Amino acid sequence: MSTLPLAAPDFRATLESRDVDLSRRTLRTLQINLTKLCNQACLHCHVDSSPKRTEHLSPEGVERSLELLKLNPGLEILDLTGGAPELHAQFRELVEGARALGRRVIVRHNLTVTLDPHPVTQVSMEGLPEFFAAQEVELVSSLPFYEQYFTDKQRGRGVFGKSLESLRRLNEVGFGMPDTGLELTLVYNPVGAYLPPDQATLEADYRSKLRAAHGLEFNNLFAITNMPINRFADDLRRRGNYDDYLQRLVAAFNPVAASNVMCRDMISVDHRGQIYDCDFNQMLELEVSDAGSALTIFNVDFARLAEIPIQVGSHCFGCTAGSGSSCGGTTE
Ligand code: SF4
Ligand code: SF4
């Protein structure tokens, strides 16, 4: 049923009316978008990544990121994303550097990059699963569904088959297997303009289906809401679904999820070193600034950053709908 177009909802006013605190907590996570280059060009990609993108973090940016970790012991987690972060020429150097400093390293690994490297970068994917295992990184990998049709529809033809092959290789080196400590988390996101189902139920479905049909294992499943920005927003608008979708997110606002959104204890860094409250704000170019100057990894003062309010907009309703949604799965 169609609904009236939605006036831009005011996210901050909604927080205030529900008494939700969105102040910054102690920073724990440094998330870096290493490159916009990706071997895929998925329909829902909020980064607008594709094989044609070339933007990537400079060697000075890589060096400074490691320096920030060294200088700030409270930054416990380095979270590497992209595009496909593995296609950055210094990806392995950065992972090794952070692990040598004792940090947890999360890699947003799209699975297919292992089998489908980009010819332009000349970065070898040789031994990638073994490298992940040796460094004990935590892998977070999108698999939109446990059946070929829906996965290929969202991520491109052939992606499901390659993803299964990559999962098999990860299982072989211990990821997702009992007692190895090598964490493999899968990510579900809806193929269309609807909210994800219950995460625990879906995880049980994924586990039984992937095990029975393919003999594959994983540790956890995150169910993530598609954010109404960039390529997914364009698709919603083309189909005339944008207002309905936003209205659905607003109607599902959950104050508990809102108080746990990821921007409260992380920063997101782009390929130029510029700082944002989260990956979504990065894509919307809502940079963090101090007295009119954009903050970067080269000039940031974390004590000062703590006093700068998080920038919010109507897209934030994507993080607070239902059980909540973030890079870490539901937030409730
Ligand atoms: S694999 Fe990830 S980064 Fe690459 S196009 Fe798909 S959603 Fe975007
Ligand atoms: S979109 Fe970003 S800024 Fe908005 S609530 Fe989500 S994490 Fe926070």
Side-chain angles (χ1 to χ4, degrees):
M1 189 180 69
S2 102
T3 51
L4 290 171
L6 186 77
D10 187 331
F11 186 75
R12 195 172 293 284
T14 304
L15 293 180
E16 281 165 12
S17 71
R18 306 296 291 272
D19 217 11
V20 176
D21 177 16
L22 198 73
S23 58
R24 292 183 199 273
R25 295 174 171 145
T26 307
L27 269 188
R28 287 183 68 221
T29 303
L30 176 65
Q31 185 180 69
I32 304 177
N33 190 312
L34 272 183
T35 175
K36 287 189 183 283
L37 175 65
C38 189
N39 56 313
Q40 294 182 184
C42 305
L43 182 64
H44 69 287
C45 183
H46 68 269
V47 189
D48 280 345
S49 286
S50 79
K52 293 187 178 149
R53 303 297 296 260
T54 55
E55 303 92 323
H56 62 275
L57 188 68
S58 65
E60 295 74 28
V62 171
E63 190 184 340
R64 177 63 177 158
S65 301
L66 287 171
E67 188 179 35
L68 281 180
L69 291 177
K70 199 172 185 174
L71 294 174
N72 297 278
L75 281 174
E76 299 163 12
I77 302 169
L78 176 67
D79 184 345
L80 296 177
T81 182
E86 303 88 340
L87 292 174
H88 189 287
Q90 289 175 281
F91 168 75
R92 296 192 196 203
E93 181 185 328
L94 185 51
V95 171
E96 285 168 345
R99 292 296 294 146
L101 291 169
R103 299 314 205 278
R104 287 173 54 195
V105 175
I106 297 173
V107 177
R108 311 279 162 175
H109 171 55
N110 74 10
L111 297 172
T112 60
V113 75
T114 310
L115 306 159
D116 207 16
H118 194 278
V120 172
T121 64
Q122 306 296 328
V123 176
S124 171
M125 297 299 114
E126 184 77 34
L128 190 61
E130 291 78 7
F131 172 79
F132 286 148
Q135 293 297 320
E136 298 178 308
V137 302
E138 298 165 38
L139 296 178
V140 178
S141 298
S142 186
L143 186 68
F145 207 53
Y146 46 71
E147 289 172 356
Q148 178 180 351
Y149 175 77
F150 292 108
T151 297
D152 284 0
K153 187 174 170 198
Q154 186 179 98
R155 290 173 81 78
R157 190 178 303 169
V159 166
F160 185 72
K162 285 185 211 166
S163 299
L164 294 189
E165 170 59 18
S166 182
L167 284 172
R168 188 185 60 72
R169 294 187 190 186
L170 291 172
N171 280 177
E172 270 175 13
V173 298
F175 280 96
M177 306 305 280
D179 306 323
T180 61
L182 295 174
E183 288 286 315
L184 171 59
T185 297
L186 298 183
V187 179
Y188 162 91
N189 59 290
V191 176
Y194 50 88
L195 299 183
D198 174 65
Q199 185 167 285
T201 309
L202 197 62
E203 180 176 309
D205 281 353
Y206 262 68
R207 181 158 286 112
S208 68
K209 294 288 194 306
L210 287 177
R211 189 176 281 164
H214 308 288
L216 294 171
E217 302 291 338
F218 62 96
N219 299 100
N220 309 295
L221 179 101
F222 293 160
I224 288 188
T225 302
N226 287 322
M227 295 299 279
I229 59 175
N230 285 0
R231 200 175 286 158
F232 183 62
D234 293 344
D235 188 58
L236 288 172
R237 286 194 187 96
R238 253 195 316 274
R239 294 166 192 268
N241 285 340
Y242 182 83
D243 286 335
D244 278 356
Y245 185 66
L246 202 53
Q247 201 158 8
R248 209 168 293 169
L249 298 180
V250 173
F253 179 81
N254 175 353
V256 179
S259 63
N260 290 321
V261 284
M262 61 186 175
C263 51
R264 296 194 67 192
D265 61 11
M266 69 167 282
I267 52 168
S268 165
V269 174
D270 76 4
H271 62 276
R272 297 164 301 180
Q274 203 143 308
I275 291 176
Y276 304 80
D277 299 310
C278 70
D279 200 28
F280 307 122
N281 282 7
Q282 182 181 146
M283 298 316 138
L284 294 169
E285 299 182 2
L286 291 171
E287 69 271 6
V288 179
S289 43
D290 186 10
S293 303
L295 286 190
T296 72
I297 52 175
F298 302 103
N299 67 11
V300 67
D301 169 352
F302 285 129
R304 175 76 194 112
L305 174 70
E307 294 160 21
I308 299 173
I310 293 168
Q311 297 209 66
V312 295
S314 56
H315 62 289
C316 296
F317 285 104
C319 288
T320 59
S323 298
S325 178
S326 78
C327 293
T330 60
T331 53
E332 233 183 350

